[in-house]
Amino acid sequence: MLAPMEQREVVKRVIGILTEAREMQRLLEADLEREDLDAGAGAVTALLNETMPHIAIPDDFSVEEVVTVVGREVGGAVEQLVSAFTLAFTMLAQVHDSGQTDVSSADVLQDLALRVEGGGPDEDENPLL
């Protein structure tokens, strides 16, 4: 069984996925006929495979028991992923809503990555890390 991923690692992976998605969008805007771009599914699938727990379900479990076990085991991993995407979205939205035109989405994601790598934001600034 894989050990659960640290939240900081999940956030860094989410930043990578968002950064890759932005780059693919930029490339497609430059060449609408482009067909050689991967839609980023590989990075998302890898993250899901690494964060989702492996669940062993006995053959004699009822449907209700399966639902309970899966919900309990998968719930924490889903919460971890949602928290990481929420953090990135919130930071991007704050810059957007403030009207700062001199800061790009790439700048915001890079700043978040540096903060995560350096130990996270100041205390109480963002409880998601």
Side-chain angles (χ1 to χ4, degrees):
M1 185 168 149
L2 296 173
M5 278 183 119
E6 291 288 327
Q7 185 64 18
R8 292 182 194 290
E9 182 61 29
V10 174
V11 172
K12 288 191 288 186
R13 298 283 295 278
V14 164
I15 292 166
I17 289 168
L18 294 173
T19 301
E20 183 179 334
R22 176 62 187 114
E23 179 62 15
M24 282 188 286
Q25 179 187 10
R26 188 187 67 73
L27 292 171
L28 283 172
E29 286 172 354
D31 181 4
L32 293 177
E33 301 299 317
R34 192 173 186 135
E35 296 180 13
D36 64 329
L37 296 177
D38 177 11
V44 173
T45 300
L47 180 58
L48 287 172
N49 287 336
E50 292 177 33
T51 56
M52 291 297 150
H54 297 279
I55 304 169
I57 305 214
D59 293 336
D60 62 343
F61 265 30
S62 68
V63 171
E64 293 82 16
E65 289 171 316
V66 170
V67 169
T68 299
V69 169
V70 170
R72 182 181 64 233
E73 297 297 321
V74 173
V78 170
E79 184 177 328
Q80 190 178 37
L81 289 168
V82 169
S83 292
F85 276 102
T86 300
L87 173 62
F89 171 81
T90 300
M91 291 190 70
L92 289 162
Q94 285 174 344
V95 170
H96 175 271
D97 292 349
S98 72
Q100 296 180 37
T101 57
D102 61 333
V103 179
S104 70
S105 59
D107 294 336
V108 174
L109 292 173
Q110 183 179 26
D111 178 63
L112 177 57
L114 291 170
R115 292 169 58 187
V116 169
E117 192 64 36
D122 294 337
E123 203 171 298
D124 295 331
E125 188 176 329
N126 198 323
L128 296 175
L129 287 181

mmCIF file of all heavy atoms in Angstrom, residues 16-68:
data_model
loop_
_atom_site.group_PDB
_atom_site.id
_atom_site.type_symbol
_atom_site.label_atom_id
_atom_site.label_comp_id
_atom_site.label_asym_id
_atom_site.label_seq_id
_atom_site.Cartn_x
_atom_site.Cartn_y
_atom_site.Cartn_z
ATOM 1 N N GLY A 16 1.639 22.049 -10.943
ATOM 2 C CA GLY A 16 2.190 21.530 -12.198
ATOM 3 C C GLY A 16 1.104 21.250 -13.222
ATOM 4 O O GLY A 16 1.246 21.573 -14.406
ATOM 5 N N ILE A 17 0.006 20.669 -12.784
ATOM 6 C CA ILE A 17 -1.104 20.378 -13.688
ATOM 7 C C ILE A 17 -1.696 21.667 -14.242
ATOM 8 O O ILE A 17 -1.946 21.786 -15.448
ATOM 9 C CB ILE A 17 -2.180 19.540 -12.963
ATOM 10 C CG1 ILE A 17 -1.648 18.120 -12.719
ATOM 11 C CG2 ILE A 17 -3.488 19.508 -13.750
ATOM 12 C CD1 ILE A 17 -2.488 17.302 -11.765
ATOM 13 N N LEU A 18 -1.907 22.650 -13.379
ATOM 14 C CA LEU A 18 -2.470 23.926 -13.831
ATOM 15 C C LEU A 18 -1.514 24.672 -14.754
ATOM 16 O O LEU A 18 -1.940 25.269 -15.746
ATOM 17 C CB LEU A 18 -2.835 24.795 -12.625
ATOM 18 C CG LEU A 18 -3.970 24.255 -11.751
ATOM 19 C CD1 LEU A 18 -4.134 25.107 -10.506
ATOM 20 C CD2 LEU A 18 -5.260 24.155 -12.533
ATOM 21 N N THR A 19 -0.233 24.624 -14.444
ATOM 22 C CA THR A 19 0.772 25.280 -15.282
ATOM 23 C C THR A 19 0.816 24.620 -16.660
ATOM 24 O O THR A 19 0.857 25.294 -17.694
ATOM 25 C CB THR A 19 2.150 25.233 -14.611
ATOM 26 O OG1 THR A 19 2.060 25.889 -13.340
ATOM 27 C CG2 THR A 19 3.218 25.883 -15.459
ATOM 28 N N GLU A 20 0.780 23.305 -16.673
ATOM 29 C CA GLU A 20 0.784 22.558 -17.943
ATOM 30 C C GLU A 20 -0.476 22.858 -18.750
ATOM 31 O O GLU A 20 -0.417 23.051 -19.968
ATOM 32 C CB GLU A 20 0.879 21.060 -17.641
ATOM 33 C CG GLU A 20 0.954 20.185 -18.872
ATOM 34 C CD GLU A 20 1.066 18.715 -18.520
ATOM 35 O OE1 GLU A 20 1.557 18.373 -17.429
ATOM 36 O OE2 GLU A 20 0.660 17.897 -19.355
ATOM 37 N N ALA A 21 -1.615 22.939 -18.080
ATOM 38 C CA ALA A 21 -2.865 23.241 -18.779
ATOM 39 C C ALA A 21 -2.821 24.637 -19.398
ATOM 40 O O ALA A 21 -3.274 24.836 -20.531
ATOM 41 C CB ALA A 21 -4.042 23.135 -17.806
ATOM 42 N N ARG A 22 -2.260 25.593 -18.682
ATOM 43 C CA ARG A 22 -2.148 26.966 -19.212
ATOM 44 C C ARG A 22 -1.232 26.994 -20.434
ATOM 45 O O ARG A 22 -1.521 27.671 -21.413
ATOM 46 C CB ARG A 22 -1.627 27.907 -18.114
ATOM 47 C CG ARG A 22 -1.388 29.318 -18.577
ATOM 48 C CD ARG A 22 -2.683 29.981 -19.072
ATOM 49 N NE ARG A 22 -2.401 31.271 -19.653
ATOM 50 C CZ ARG A 22 -2.557 31.579 -20.935
ATOM 51 N NH1 ARG A 22 -3.019 30.688 -21.780
ATOM 52 N NH2 ARG A 22 -2.273 32.772 -21.377
ATOM 53 N N GLU A 23 -0.139 26.259 -20.367
ATOM 54 C CA GLU A 23 0.787 26.213 -21.503
ATOM 55 C C GLU A 23 0.125 25.565 -22.717
ATOM 56 O O GLU A 23 0.286 26.040 -23.845
ATOM 57 C CB GLU A 23 2.059 25.462 -21.116
ATOM 58 C CG GLU A 23 3.080 25.350 -22.238
ATOM 59 C CD GLU A 23 3.604 26.696 -22.729
ATOM 60 O OE1 GLU A 23 3.435 27.732 -22.062
ATOM 61 O OE2 GLU A 23 4.201 26.714 -23.828
ATOM 62 N N MET A 24 -0.640 24.509 -22.495
ATOM 63 C CA MET A 24 -1.340 23.868 -23.610
ATOM 64 C C MET A 24 -2.361 24.829 -24.219
ATOM 65 O O MET A 24 -2.500 24.897 -25.437
ATOM 66 C CB MET A 24 -2.022 22.588 -23.156
ATOM 67 C CG MET A 24 -1.054 21.439 -23.006
ATOM 68 S SD MET A 24 -1.890 19.888 -22.707
ATOM 69 C CE MET A 24 -2.377 20.124 -21.020
ATOM 70 N N GLN A 25 -3.061 25.581 -23.373
ATOM 71 C CA GLN A 25 -4.019 26.564 -23.878
ATOM 72 C C GLN A 25 -3.306 27.615 -24.712
ATOM 73 O O GLN A 25 -3.771 27.990 -25.787
ATOM 74 C CB GLN A 25 -4.755 27.233 -22.720
ATOM 75 C CG GLN A 25 -5.737 28.289 -23.198
ATOM 76 C CD GLN A 25 -6.340 29.075 -22.057
ATOM 77 O OE1 GLN A 25 -5.922 28.980 -20.919
ATOM 78 N NE2 GLN A 25 -7.327 29.891 -22.380
ATOM 79 N N ARG A 26 -2.158 28.087 -24.251
ATOM 80 C CA ARG A 26 -1.389 29.094 -24.982
ATOM 81 C C ARG A 26 -0.964 28.557 -26.340
ATOM 82 O O ARG A 26 -1.088 29.241 -27.362
ATOM 83 C CB ARG A 26 -0.155 29.513 -24.169
ATOM 84 C CG ARG A 26 0.605 30.688 -24.771
ATOM 85 C CD ARG A 26 1.897 30.948 -24.022
ATOM 86 N NE ARG A 26 2.874 29.876 -24.176
ATOM 87 C CZ ARG A 26 3.581 29.630 -25.289
ATOM 88 N NH1 ARG A 26 3.406 30.360 -26.364
ATOM 89 N NH2 ARG A 26 4.454 28.649 -25.326
ATOM 90 N N LEU A 27 -0.484 27.318 -26.374
ATOM 91 C CA LEU A 27 -0.051 26.713 -27.630
ATOM 92 C C LEU A 27 -1.220 26.516 -28.596
ATOM 93 O O LEU A 27 -1.085 26.727 -29.799
ATOM 94 C CB LEU A 27 0.661 25.391 -27.368
ATOM 95 C CG LEU A 27 2.015 25.496 -26.664
ATOM 96 C CD1 LEU A 27 2.521 24.122 -26.264
ATOM 97 C CD2 LEU A 27 3.026 26.220 -27.531
ATOM 98 N N LEU A 28 -2.373 26.125 -28.055
ATOM 99 C CA LEU A 28 -3.552 25.950 -28.912
ATOM 100 C C LEU A 28 -4.054 27.285 -29.447
ATOM 101 O O LEU A 28 -4.517 27.362 -30.588
ATOM 102 C CB LEU A 28 -4.667 25.240 -28.144
ATOM 103 C CG LEU A 28 -4.476 23.745 -27.983
ATOM 104 C CD1 LEU A 28 -5.524 23.177 -27.032
ATOM 105 C CD2 LEU A 28 -4.535 23.033 -29.324
ATOM 106 N N GLU A 29 -3.986 28.328 -28.638
ATOM 107 C CA GLU A 29 -4.396 29.655 -29.113
ATOM 108 C C GLU A 29 -3.487 30.133 -30.240
ATOM 109 O O GLU A 29 -3.942 30.809 -31.153
ATOM 110 C CB GLU A 29 -4.374 30.659 -27.959
ATOM 111 C CG GLU A 29 -5.513 30.472 -26.991
ATOM 112 C CD GLU A 29 -5.381 31.331 -25.745
ATOM 113 O OE1 GLU A 29 -4.339 32.014 -25.566
ATOM 114 O OE2 GLU A 29 -6.317 31.317 -24.929
ATOM 115 N N ALA A 30 -2.223 29.749 -30.185
ATOM 116 C CA ALA A 30 -1.272 30.141 -31.217
ATOM 117 C C ALA A 30 -1.478 29.337 -32.496
ATOM 118 O O ALA A 30 -1.186 29.817 -33.588
ATOM 119 C CB ALA A 30 0.161 29.960 -30.714
ATOM 120 N N ASP A 31 -1.974 28.099 -32.368
ATOM 121 C CA ASP A 31 -2.162 27.227 -33.528
ATOM 122 C C ASP A 31 -3.375 26.339 -33.277
ATOM 123 O O ASP A 31 -3.263 25.262 -32.697
ATOM 124 C CB ASP A 31 -0.909 26.372 -33.752
ATOM 125 C CG ASP A 31 -1.018 25.446 -34.951
ATOM 126 O OD1 ASP A 31 -2.034 25.502 -35.673
ATOM 127 O OD2 ASP A 31 -0.082 24.651 -35.150
ATOM 128 N N LEU A 32 -4.541 26.794 -33.719
ATOM 129 C CA LEU A 32 -5.794 26.081 -33.465
ATOM 130 C C LEU A 32 -5.854 24.705 -34.124
ATOM 131 O O LEU A 32 -6.635 23.855 -33.715
ATOM 132 C CB LEU A 32 -6.981 26.927 -33.925
ATOM 133 C CG LEU A 32 -7.212 28.209 -33.139
ATOM 134 C CD1 LEU A 32 -8.366 28.999 -33.734
ATOM 135 C CD2 LEU A 32 -7.461 27.912 -31.681
ATOM 136 N N GLU A 33 -5.044 24.484 -35.132
ATOM 137 C CA GLU A 33 -5.043 23.204 -35.835
ATOM 138 C C GLU A 33 -4.123 22.179 -35.173
ATOM 139 O O GLU A 33 -4.056 21.035 -35.612
ATOM 140 C CB GLU A 33 -4.605 23.418 -37.295
ATOM 141 C CG GLU A 33 -5.505 24.370 -38.067
ATOM 142 C CD GLU A 33 -6.934 23.858 -38.156
ATOM 143 O OE1 GLU A 33 -7.129 22.657 -38.409
ATOM 144 O OE2 GLU A 33 -7.850 24.671 -37.959
ATOM 145 N N ARG A 34 -3.459 22.576 -34.151
ATOM 146 C CA ARG A 34 -2.475 21.720 -33.480
ATOM 147 C C ARG A 34 -3.159 20.490 -32.889
ATOM 148 O O ARG A 34 -4.160 20.593 -32.194
ATOM 149 C CB ARG A 34 -1.809 22.531 -32.379
ATOM 150 C CG ARG A 34 -0.603 21.870 -31.832
ATOM 151 C CD ARG A 34 0.104 22.804 -30.878
ATOM 152 N NE ARG A 34 1.332 22.150 -30.495
ATOM 153 C CZ ARG A 34 2.490 22.737 -30.441
ATOM 154 N NH1 ARG A 34 2.587 24.004 -30.714
ATOM 155 N NH2 ARG A 34 3.555 22.071 -30.104
ATOM 156 N N GLU A 35 -2.596 19.324 -33.159
ATOM 157 C CA GLU A 35 -3.174 18.078 -32.667
ATOM 158 C C GLU A 35 -2.185 17.250 -31.856
ATOM 159 O O GLU A 35 -2.507 16.149 -31.422
ATOM 160 C CB GLU A 35 -3.686 17.239 -33.841
ATOM 161 C CG GLU A 35 -4.820 17.903 -34.585
ATOM 162 C CD GLU A 35 -5.309 17.068 -35.746
ATOM 163 O OE1 GLU A 35 -4.948 15.881 -35.841
ATOM 164 O OE2 GLU A 35 -6.068 17.605 -36.564
ATOM 165 N N ASP A 36 -1.004 17.776 -31.617
ATOM 166 C CA ASP A 36 0.032 16.991 -30.958
ATOM 167 C C ASP A 36 0.093 17.204 -29.450
ATOM 168 O O ASP A 36 0.992 16.702 -28.793
ATOM 169 C CB ASP A 36 1.404 17.318 -31.566
ATOM 170 C CG ASP A 36 1.805 18.762 -31.321
ATOM 171 O OD1 ASP A 36 0.911 19.621 -31.255
ATOM 172 O OD2 ASP A 36 3.011 19.028 -31.198
ATOM 173 N N LEU A 37 -0.876 17.911 -28.891
ATOM 174 C CA LEU A 37 -0.841 18.195 -27.458
ATOM 175 C C LEU A 37 -1.635 17.163 -26.676
ATOM 176 O O LEU A 37 -2.770 16.855 -27.001
ATOM 177 C CB LEU A 37 -1.399 19.593 -27.175
ATOM 178 C CG LEU A 37 -0.593 20.749 -27.758
ATOM 179 C CD1 LEU A 37 -1.298 22.056 -27.470
ATOM 180 C CD2 LEU A 37 0.814 20.763 -27.198
ATOM 181 N N ASP A 38 -1.033 16.673 -25.620
ATOM 182 C CA ASP A 38 -1.718 15.798 -24.682
ATOM 183 C C ASP A 38 -2.607 16.683 -23.826
ATOM 184 O O ASP A 38 -2.204 17.752 -23.396
ATOM 185 C CB ASP A 38 -0.666 15.085 -23.821
ATOM 186 C CG ASP A 38 -1.281 14.195 -22.759
ATOM 187 O OD1 ASP A 38 -2.497 13.957 -22.809
ATOM 188 O OD2 ASP A 38 -0.534 13.741 -21.876
ATOM 189 N N ALA A 39 -3.787 16.254 -23.524
ATOM 190 C CA ALA A 39 -4.727 17.076 -22.760
ATOM 191 C C ALA A 39 -4.394 17.116 -21.280
ATOM 192 O O ALA A 39 -5.186 17.574 -20.483
ATOM 193 C CB ALA A 39 -6.140 16.558 -22.971
ATOM 194 N N GLY A 40 -3.231 16.648 -20.870
ATOM 195 C CA GLY A 40 -2.847 16.702 -19.470
ATOM 196 C C GLY A 40 -3.380 15.538 -18.656
ATOM 197 O O GLY A 40 -3.203 15.479 -17.456
ATOM 198 N N ALA A 41 -4.045 14.617 -19.317
ATOM 199 C CA ALA A 41 -4.634 13.494 -18.604
ATOM 200 C C ALA A 41 -3.578 12.647 -17.915
ATOM 201 O O ALA A 41 -3.830 12.075 -16.863
ATOM 202 C CB ALA A 41 -5.462 12.642 -19.554
ATOM 203 N N GLY A 42 -2.394 12.577 -18.479
ATOM 204 C CA GLY A 42 -1.337 11.772 -17.879
ATOM 205 C C GLY A 42 -0.965 12.259 -16.492
ATOM 206 O O GLY A 42 -0.842 11.468 -15.554
ATOM 207 N N ALA A 43 -0.814 13.553 -16.326
ATOM 208 C CA ALA A 43 -0.448 14.116 -15.025
ATOM 209 C C ALA A 43 -1.588 13.962 -14.028
ATOM 210 O O ALA A 43 -1.359 13.661 -12.854
ATOM 211 C CB ALA A 43 -0.069 15.591 -15.179
ATOM 212 N N VAL A 44 -2.809 14.158 -14.485
ATOM 213 C CA VAL A 44 -3.964 14.014 -13.596
ATOM 214 C C VAL A 44 -4.122 12.561 -13.173
ATOM 215 O O VAL A 44 -4.321 12.257 -11.991
ATOM 216 C CB VAL A 44 -5.250 14.532 -14.276
ATOM 217 C CG1 VAL A 44 -6.476 14.230 -13.430
ATOM 218 C CG2 VAL A 44 -5.138 16.023 -14.556
ATOM 219 N N THR A 45 -4.013 11.650 -14.122
ATOM 220 C CA THR A 45 -4.126 10.220 -13.814
ATOM 221 C C THR A 45 -3.037 9.791 -12.840
ATOM 222 O O THR A 45 -3.305 9.055 -11.884
ATOM 223 C CB THR A 45 -4.064 9.379 -15.105
ATOM 224 O OG1 THR A 45 -5.153 9.778 -15.950
ATOM 225 C CG2 THR A 45 -4.165 7.901 -14.808
ATOM 226 N N ALA A 46 -1.818 10.257 -13.067
ATOM 227 C CA ALA A 46 -0.719 9.906 -12.164
ATOM 228 C C ALA A 46 -0.997 10.413 -10.753
ATOM 229 O O ALA A 46 -0.780 9.697 -9.771
ATOM 230 C CB ALA A 46 0.596 10.473 -12.681
ATOM 231 N N LEU A 47 -1.479 11.639 -10.641
ATOM 232 C CA LEU A 47 -1.793 12.193 -9.323
ATOM 233 C C LEU A 47 -2.900 11.386 -8.648
ATOM 234 O O LEU A 47 -2.815 11.063 -7.458
ATOM 235 C CB LEU A 47 -2.187 13.666 -9.437
ATOM 236 C CG LEU A 47 -2.539 14.375 -8.127
ATOM 237 C CD1 LEU A 47 -1.384 14.330 -7.136
ATOM 238 C CD2 LEU A 47 -2.940 15.809 -8.399
ATOM 239 N N LEU A 48 -3.928 11.050 -9.392
ATOM 240 C CA LEU A 48 -5.011 10.237 -8.821
ATOM 241 C C LEU A 48 -4.497 8.874 -8.367
ATOM 242 O O LEU A 48 -4.853 8.400 -7.282
ATOM 243 C CB LEU A 48 -6.140 10.062 -9.835
ATOM 244 C CG LEU A 48 -6.997 11.291 -10.087
ATOM 245 C CD1 LEU A 48 -7.955 11.034 -11.248
ATOM 246 C CD2 LEU A 48 -7.753 11.699 -8.839
ATOM 247 N N ASN A 49 -3.671 8.250 -9.194
ATOM 248 C CA ASN A 49 -3.120 6.943 -8.838
ATOM 249 C C ASN A 49 -2.262 7.011 -7.582
ATOM 250 O O ASN A 49 -2.216 6.058 -6.804
ATOM 251 C CB ASN A 49 -2.310 6.356 -9.993
ATOM 252 C CG ASN A 49 -3.184 5.868 -11.120
ATOM 253 O OD1 ASN A 49 -4.358 5.545 -10.924
ATOM 254 N ND2 ASN A 49 -2.640 5.829 -12.317
ATOM 255 N N GLU A 50 -1.591 8.122 -7.386
ATOM 256 C CA GLU A 50 -0.699 8.256 -6.229
ATOM 257 C C GLU A 50 -1.420 8.707 -4.970
ATOM 258 O O GLU A 50 -0.920 8.481 -3.871
ATOM 259 C CB GLU A 50 0.434 9.218 -6.564
ATOM 260 C CG GLU A 50 1.378 8.642 -7.607
ATOM 261 C CD GLU A 50 2.464 9.609 -8.010
ATOM 262 O OE1 GLU A 50 2.899 10.393 -7.152
ATOM 263 O OE2 GLU A 50 2.868 9.580 -9.180
ATOM 264 N N THR A 51 -2.554 9.358 -5.109
ATOM 265 C CA THR A 51 -3.254 9.840 -3.921
ATOM 266 C C THR A 51 -4.374 8.910 -3.466
ATOM 267 O O THR A 51 -4.689 8.874 -2.277
ATOM 268 C CB THR A 51 -3.845 11.252 -4.136
ATOM 269 O OG1 THR A 51 -4.687 11.233 -5.273
ATOM 270 C CG2 THR A 51 -2.762 12.281 -4.291
ATOM 271 N N MET A 52 -4.965 8.192 -4.382
ATOM 272 C CA MET A 52 -6.076 7.316 -4.005
ATOM 273 C C MET A 52 -5.563 6.051 -3.335
ATOM 274 O O MET A 52 -4.606 5.429 -3.808
ATOM 275 C CB MET A 52 -6.911 6.928 -5.234
ATOM 276 C CG MET A 52 -7.686 8.077 -5.818
ATOM 277 S SD MET A 52 -8.884 8.709 -4.644
ATOM 278 C CE MET A 52 -8.937 10.412 -5.153
ATOM 279 N N PRO A 53 -6.186 5.679 -2.251
ATOM 280 C CA PRO A 53 -5.747 4.468 -1.542
ATOM 281 C C PRO A 53 -6.152 3.206 -2.308
ATOM 282 O O PRO A 53 -7.112 3.224 -3.098
ATOM 283 C CB PRO A 53 -6.500 4.559 -0.214
ATOM 284 C CG PRO A 53 -7.734 5.333 -0.537
ATOM 285 C CD PRO A 53 -7.324 6.319 -1.598
ATOM 286 N N HIS A 54 -5.411 2.157 -2.068
ATOM 287 C CA HIS A 54 -5.777 0.846 -2.611
ATOM 288 C C HIS A 54 -6.659 0.190 -1.557
ATOM 289 O O HIS A 54 -6.288 0.119 -0.394
ATOM 290 C CB HIS A 54 -4.538 0.004 -2.897
ATOM 291 C CG HIS A 54 -3.662 0.616 -3.940
ATOM 292 N ND1 HIS A 54 -3.927 0.494 -5.283
ATOM 293 C CD2 HIS A 54 -2.561 1.384 -3.848
ATOM 294 C CE1 HIS A 54 -3.004 1.145 -5.972
ATOM 295 N NE2 HIS A 54 -2.167 1.703 -5.120
ATOM 296 N N ILE A 55 -7.824 -0.270 -1.981
ATOM 297 C CA ILE A 55 -8.802 -0.787 -1.041
ATOM 298 C C ILE A 55 -9.036 -2.263 -1.316
ATOM 299 O O ILE A 55 -9.335 -2.654 -2.450
ATOM 300 C CB ILE A 55 -10.139 -0.027 -1.175
ATOM 301 C CG1 ILE A 55 -9.909 1.467 -0.979
ATOM 302 C CG2 ILE A 55 -11.157 -0.561 -0.177
ATOM 303 C CD1 ILE A 55 -11.105 2.317 -1.355
ATOM 304 N N ALA A 56 -8.887 -3.068 -0.282
ATOM 305 C CA ALA A 56 -9.192 -4.495 -0.375
ATOM 306 C C ALA A 56 -10.587 -4.707 0.205
ATOM 307 O O ALA A 56 -10.841 -4.356 1.360
ATOM 308 C CB ALA A 56 -8.162 -5.306 0.393
ATOM 309 N N ILE A 57 -11.462 -5.260 -0.608
ATOM 310 C CA ILE A 57 -12.841 -5.471 -0.180
ATOM 311 C C ILE A 57 -13.109 -6.977 -0.174
ATOM 312 O O ILE A 57 -12.967 -7.632 -1.211
ATOM 313 C CB ILE A 57 -13.824 -4.753 -1.108
ATOM 314 C CG1 ILE A 57 -13.452 -3.305 -1.185
ATOM 315 C CG2 ILE A 57 -15.249 -5.045 -0.704
ATOM 316 C CD1 ILE A 57 -14.476 -2.298 -1.317
ATOM 317 N N PRO A 58 -13.455 -7.493 0.995
ATOM 318 C CA PRO A 58 -13.768 -8.927 1.068
ATOM 319 C C PRO A 58 -14.935 -9.300 0.150
ATOM 320 O O PRO A 58 -15.854 -8.504 -0.073
ATOM 321 C CB PRO A 58 -14.145 -9.127 2.546
ATOM 322 C CG PRO A 58 -13.493 -7.992 3.266
ATOM 323 C CD PRO A 58 -13.518 -6.842 2.291
ATOM 324 N N ASP A 59 -14.871 -10.493 -0.377
ATOM 325 C CA ASP A 59 -15.902 -10.973 -1.304
ATOM 326 C C ASP A 59 -17.293 -11.009 -0.692
ATOM 327 O O ASP A 59 -18.290 -10.874 -1.397
ATOM 328 C CB ASP A 59 -15.557 -12.385 -1.810
ATOM 329 C CG ASP A 59 -14.317 -12.391 -2.684
ATOM 330 O OD1 ASP A 59 -13.991 -11.324 -3.260
ATOM 331 O OD2 ASP A 59 -13.668 -13.447 -2.791
ATOM 332 N N ASP A 60 -17.367 -11.180 0.617
ATOM 333 C CA ASP A 60 -18.671 -11.336 1.255
ATOM 334 C C ASP A 60 -19.296 -10.015 1.719
ATOM 335 O O ASP A 60 -20.345 -10.012 2.352
ATOM 336 C CB ASP A 60 -18.566 -12.301 2.434
ATOM 337 C CG ASP A 60 -17.630 -11.813 3.527
ATOM 338 O OD1 ASP A 60 -16.811 -10.903 3.267
ATOM 339 O OD2 ASP A 60 -17.715 -12.351 4.645
ATOM 340 N N PHE A 61 -18.695 -8.890 1.374
ATOM 341 C CA PHE A 61 -19.256 -7.589 1.772
ATOM 342 C C PHE A 61 -20.529 -7.295 0.990
ATOM 343 O O PHE A 61 -20.627 -7.580 -0.205
ATOM 344 C CB PHE A 61 -18.255 -6.464 1.501
ATOM 345 C CG PHE A 61 -17.404 -6.098 2.688
ATOM 346 C CD1 PHE A 61 -17.060 -7.024 3.650
ATOM 347 C CD2 PHE A 61 -16.946 -4.805 2.838
ATOM 348 C CE1 PHE A 61 -16.274 -6.683 4.730
ATOM 349 C CE2 PHE A 61 -16.165 -4.452 3.917
ATOM 350 C CZ PHE A 61 -15.825 -5.380 4.878
ATOM 351 N N SER A 62 -21.486 -6.711 1.675
ATOM 352 C CA SER A 62 -22.711 -6.261 1.010
ATOM 353 C C SER A 62 -22.416 -4.947 0.279
ATOM 354 O O SER A 62 -21.379 -4.323 0.500
ATOM 355 C CB SER A 62 -23.823 -6.031 2.042
ATOM 356 O OG SER A 62 -23.492 -4.908 2.854
ATOM 357 N N VAL A 63 -23.351 -4.517 -0.552
ATOM 358 C CA VAL A 63 -23.190 -3.254 -1.269
ATOM 359 C C VAL A 63 -23.034 -2.113 -0.266
ATOM 360 O O VAL A 63 -22.192 -1.229 -0.438
ATOM 361 C CB VAL A 63 -24.391 -3.003 -2.211
ATOM 362 C CG1 VAL A 63 -24.346 -1.610 -2.790
ATOM 363 C CG2 VAL A 63 -24.438 -4.053 -3.309
ATOM 364 N N GLU A 64 -23.820 -2.113 0.780
ATOM 365 C CA GLU A 64 -23.742 -1.068 1.792
ATOM 366 C C GLU A 64 -22.374 -1.044 2.466
ATOM 367 O O GLU A 64 -21.819 0.030 2.724
ATOM 368 C CB GLU A 64 -24.848 -1.246 2.851
ATOM 369 C CG GLU A 64 -26.248 -1.019 2.324
ATOM 370 C CD GLU A 64 -26.819 -2.245 1.599
ATOM 371 O OE1 GLU A 64 -26.286 -3.372 1.730
ATOM 372 O OE2 GLU A 64 -27.793 -2.054 0.847
ATOM 373 N N GLU A 65 -21.823 -2.204 2.757
ATOM 374 C CA GLU A 65 -20.501 -2.282 3.388
ATOM 375 C C GLU A 65 -19.416 -1.781 2.434
ATOM 376 O O GLU A 65 -18.492 -1.077 2.854
ATOM 377 C CB GLU A 65 -20.196 -3.717 3.827
ATOM 378 C CG GLU A 65 -21.029 -4.170 5.002
ATOM 379 C CD GLU A 65 -20.877 -5.657 5.285
ATOM 380 O OE1 GLU A 65 -20.898 -6.452 4.318
ATOM 381 O OE2 GLU A 65 -20.730 -6.012 6.460
ATOM 382 N N VAL A 66 -19.544 -2.102 1.157
ATOM 383 C CA VAL A 66 -18.584 -1.624 0.155
ATOM 384 C C VAL A 66 -18.634 -0.102 0.086
ATOM 385 O O VAL A 66 -17.599 0.572 0.094
ATOM 386 C CB VAL A 66 -18.851 -2.243 -1.232
ATOM 387 C CG1 VAL A 66 -18.024 -1.564 -2.308
ATOM 388 C CG2 VAL A 66 -18.588 -3.739 -1.212
ATOM 389 N N VAL A 67 -19.837 0.456 0.025
ATOM 390 C CA VAL A 67 -19.997 1.909 -0.042
ATOM 391 C C VAL A 67 -19.367 2.569 1.186
ATOM 392 O O VAL A 67 -18.668 3.584 1.070
ATOM 393 C CB VAL A 67 -21.493 2.284 -0.183
ATOM 394 C CG1 VAL A 67 -21.712 3.778 0.023
ATOM 395 C CG2 VAL A 67 -22.019 1.842 -1.537
ATOM 396 N N THR A 68 -19.587 2.003 2.343
ATOM 397 C CA THR A 68 -19.032 2.568 3.579
ATOM 398 C C THR A 68 -17.511 2.546 3.566
ATOM 399 O O THR A 68 -16.857 3.553 3.864
ATOM 400 C CB THR A 68 -19.559 1.793 4.812
ATOM 401 O OG1 THR A 68 -20.983 1.909 4.845
ATOM 402 C CG2 THR A 68 -18.966 2.333 6.096
#
